[in-house]
Amino acid sequence: MISVNGISKSFGGNEAVKKISFEVLPGESLILLGTSGCGKTTTLKMINRLIAPDSGQININGKNIAGEKPEILRRSIGYVLQNNGLFPHYTVAENIAIVPKLLGWDNKKTILRTQEILEKLHLSEQYLSMFPNALSGGQQQRVGLARALVTDPSILLMDEPFGALDNVTRTSIRKEFKALEELKRKTMVMVTHDIHEAFELADRICLMDRGKIIQIGTPKELLFKPVNKFAKDFLAGEKLSLAFKAVSLEDLWDFLPTTDTQTPNAIPSTESMWDTMEKLQTQTSVEVKNKSGSYKNIDFDKLTAAFSLYQKGNRHE
Amino acid sequence: MNENQQSLWQFMAEQSDKLFNQALQHLGLTFISLFFAVLVGVPLGILIARKRKLSGSVLAFAGVLQTIPSIALLGFMIPLLGIGAKPAIVALLIYALLPIIRNTYTGIVGIDANVREAAKAMGMSAKQILFKVELPLAMPVILAGIRTATVINVGVATLASYIAAGGLGEFIFGGISLNNTNMILAGAIPAAVLAILLDALLALLQNLNIKKLKRELIILPIVILTLSGFYLLPKAYGSSLTAGFTPEFMGRQDGDLGLKSVYGLKIHTIVISDAVMYKAAFEKELDVISGYSTDGRLKAFDLIILEDDKGIFPPYYAAPIVRTSSLKKFPELEKTLNLLEGKINDSIMTDLNYKTDQLHQSPERVAKEFLISQNLYKSPLNAKGKTVRIGSKIFGEQYILAEMYKMLIQGNTNYQVATKTGLGGTKICFDALVNDQIDFYPEYTGTGLLVLLKPNADFAKKIAHDKDKTYDYVKDEFIKKFGIKWLTPIGFNNSYALMMRRKQSKELGVYSITDLKQYLDNNNNNK
């Protein structure tokens, strides 16, 4: 658990972060969202002490990080940068082995764990002996992720990890990333300015502007209960597509008509409406199964009708 | 051309021992200074990459050092560090510094900020970041700086021979003073080859991939240290006394070669420029030097001349040489010029030189005071007769003589006088005389024989050590060949001579070259 209490930071008289506080629960992924210069990256870098706060305190699992040796602290926190930050003079294998080496792992353990993480990230082992600049941007970013995950840290910090990639690569890597079992258990703080990315990956979103937190909440809360005009305007242009991403079939369950069918390849009701609509592009209907084990068969018309009812309900609240 | 080339190879083959030694010294000098420059420059580059505010002033300072002309820098070093290896190494180090500091700084500053941040974020310490990330990534740029510094150093190291630090400059500058093209090339070509070779080797290292570089980087300092060691090797032999000889003296039969063959003198010798030699002897850096017997510094630094008891240094008696046509044109000239006959002996000439060189009195004043003391001075008649043109070579003694002749002519005849002093070397002066640009100038019998007439070696050897035979021979030959007449000698003999400090000479009981040889033999054997 990370708890941030009233931290501030100025750069040459310019206040980048103003007395902000938030908590990240174990296993939760919190996304710091905002425009350039809103203080989100500064906030992120204060968590692993790349930047020292002027005032305030950050605790990780109840311990004040200011009392720990910065090198030791950083070795226990995974960090992924926008431009991957791979060492150009190290091979992929050596890049991945940096933190294990700092932690004094033996070679065998490092090699086994490297193989494991490569497999999970769909990276071929033939890359191991190559230098980073021989790899594509997407592959480099995967290696950067592997480097951050190889020691299985409980906390992962990511600074615009997909920011430098082209749209197609970004979408596909984001999808892989979301499906990665390795990440489900991790406490994650990620910085982005991409609203869609935030809505796809976040448990909660922390919307920032000019060094202050405007609103912290789930994607749905941000979308349907914006606290002020800024929060509302920030999402305004994308509202419909964001809603499709924020709303899951579970949210719509009560508005969907009941059916009696039951098939083994049903999708879980946690699936977002966006993903379900994508599936309905190639097939006329899909089976959904909810937590309590009941099944429903839906098609495009049923889905949009349910969504429309759901939105009405939200507005009345 | 062909013949010339062949003789160059012959020269190099003959001198191969010396050449090899000089090349090793040169390499050693280059690398020893490079080693220290890396030791100073790389940390300084790292420091200013950390504290960028310092970078401007540090780089500017190193840049200013770089612009000091090499000879001047070596000159500045002498009062601080004396002569020999120390000042040469320091001077070379200073030249190597700028490219190394600048490239280290540029290399480190140029590293991708993301890479540095990643290193920090993964928990590397400042030291680990420096050695595992910054230095390896900056290494190609740093190596480029070292490469530049190496090539600069190979070039500047040729100048080290001026202050007795050895190297290929000994041949180059010896060759220049002796007008010996083969000797110049024997030094210059290996120096150029060294520069090209080292540049290519470092280029190879620089272009190796970063991975392999890790190993090479360990080898590099070892190689540099080994090469530096070459410089120390030739120092291993030695004698109880140290001699400093000019490059010209080293290459002459009536110089070092004669000392070895006629006297069998075995003395630890370093090569040094004439400009700093006397002072070095005075400051006890050197014990024996080769000088000119009438040089004013002999008196200034209280040095004495060792007697040339086997007569290897030919006499250089000074006398005016005049065109026969001028003697007809100016009937009173010969009589007037001969007024100085026998008036100036060695010690008087040394004293007069001392007054101009060390006390910085004008040649005019020195000439006038001397003539007054000899009762030869007469006020100028300010006559409006024909003009006599006087020439002189470009050193103090000749200026004084030219002034004396001018005053004598103005005081005793109705001729006018024009002086054309400071005519480069012997050749320029003599050509001016032959081509009727001047009427006379003071010349030396030894120079007339060995430089201007150049008879065959056996004959020259026979007569060169006899003052009168030499004078008679040049007098006859000059009339026959050039229509130029040698008037009677002025009296002093400005020949090569070996010199020591007066005090040391007394202590050791060494008054002649033979004494010196015996002293050296006794003491070297006792070692």
Side-chain angles (χ1 to χ4, degrees), chain A residues 100-154:
Chain A
K101 232 179 193 167
L102 291 172
L103 292 174
W105 284 19
D106 65 52
N107 273 343
K108 213 171 156 192
K109 186 177 171 192
T110 308
I111 290 167
L112 282 174
R113 176 64 187 153
T114 302
Q115 283 170 344
E116 192 186 346
I117 198 83
L118 283 184
E119 209 173 292
K120 284 182 181 165
L121 289 166
H122 310 294
L123 277 165
S124 153
E125 276 190 38
Q126 72 186 37
Y127 292 137
L128 283 176
S129 57
M130 290 164 74
F131 285 95
N133 55 11
L135 270 53
S136 71
Q139 303 293 49
Q140 288 180 15
Q141 204 56 36
R142 283 190 179 91
V143 174
L145 196 57
R147 185 174 65 174
L149 292 175
V150 68
T151 54
D152 198 15
S154 60

Side-chain angles (χ1 to χ4, degrees), chain B residues 153-194:
Chain B
N153 269 7
V154 171
V156 180
T158 55
L159 298 176
S161 65
Y162 267 128
I163 51 170
L168 289 164
E170 287 185 11
F171 269 159
I172 298 176
F173 295 106
I176 291 173
S177 345
L178 294 169
N179 195 17
N180 181 339
T181 313
N182 286 331
M183 199 177 200
I184 298 174
L185 290 177
I189 292 173
V193 170
L194 266 188

Side-chain angles (χ1 to χ4, degrees), chain B residues 210-277:
Chain B
I210 298 169
K211 189 78 187 157
K212 281 188 195 152
L213 216 57
K214 285 179 192 165
R215 184 162 28 103
E216 314 300 333
L217 279 179
I218 304 165
I219 299 172
L220 187 66
I222 299 171
V223 171
I224 290 183
L225 275 178
T226 317
L227 289 173
S228 306
F230 287 149
Y231 190 65
L232 304 171
L233 279 180
K235 295 278 154 69
Y237 71 87
S239 60
S240 46
L241 298 177
T242 302
F245 295 154
T246 60
E248 184 179 353
F249 188 81
M250 290 298 288
R252 289 179 74 134
Q253 190 54 47
D254 57 334
D256 187 51
L257 302 177
L259 283 177
K260 285 205 178 91
S261 61
V262 177
Y263 284 98
L265 192 71
K266 287 186 207 108
I267 186 163
H268 170 58
T269 305
I270 58 178
V271 178
I272 187 167
S273 93
D274 146 81
V276 296
M277 182 172 67

Side-chain angles (χ1 to χ4, degrees), chain A residues 230-298:
Chain A
F230 177 85
K232 197 176 174 184
D233 291 350
F234 198 81
L235 306 176
E238 312 276 342
K239 199 157 181 201
L240 186 63
S241 55
L242 291 175
F244 290 160
K245 280 174 181 165
V247 174
S248 68
L249 295 179
E250 185 66 40
D251 297 320
L252 302 179
W253 193 258
D254 296 340
F255 306 104
L256 290 167
T258 320
T259 47
D260 299 328
T261 48
Q262 191 171 332
T263 52
N265 47 1
I267 57 168
S269 62
T270 50
E271 196 92 338
S272 73
M273 190 177 159
W274 181 272
D275 291 340
T276 314
M277 282 162 81
E278 265 187 354
K279 288 200 175 75
L280 288 170
Q281 305 255 299
T282 53
Q283 55 196 101
T284 49
S285 65
V286 288
E287 289 290 325
V288 194
K289 182 192 175 194
N290 80 349
K291 277 179 207 153
S292 51
S294 49
Y295 290 82
K296 281 183 179 175
N297 183 287
I298 53 173

Side-chain angles (χ1 to χ4, degrees), chain B residues 4 9 14 29 43-44 48 52 58 68 104 108 121 135 165 167 171 243-244 322 352 360 425 446 453 461 480 493 509:
Chain B
N4 203 354
W9 293 125
E14 268 169 33
L29 204 54
L44 212 54
I48 60 173
R52 307 261 167 106
V58 169
I68 303 174
T104 305
I108 290 180
L135 284 182
F171 269 159
V322 199
L352 297 178
H360 304 295
L453 289 173
K461 224 179 213 172
K480 267 191 269 173
N493 173 14

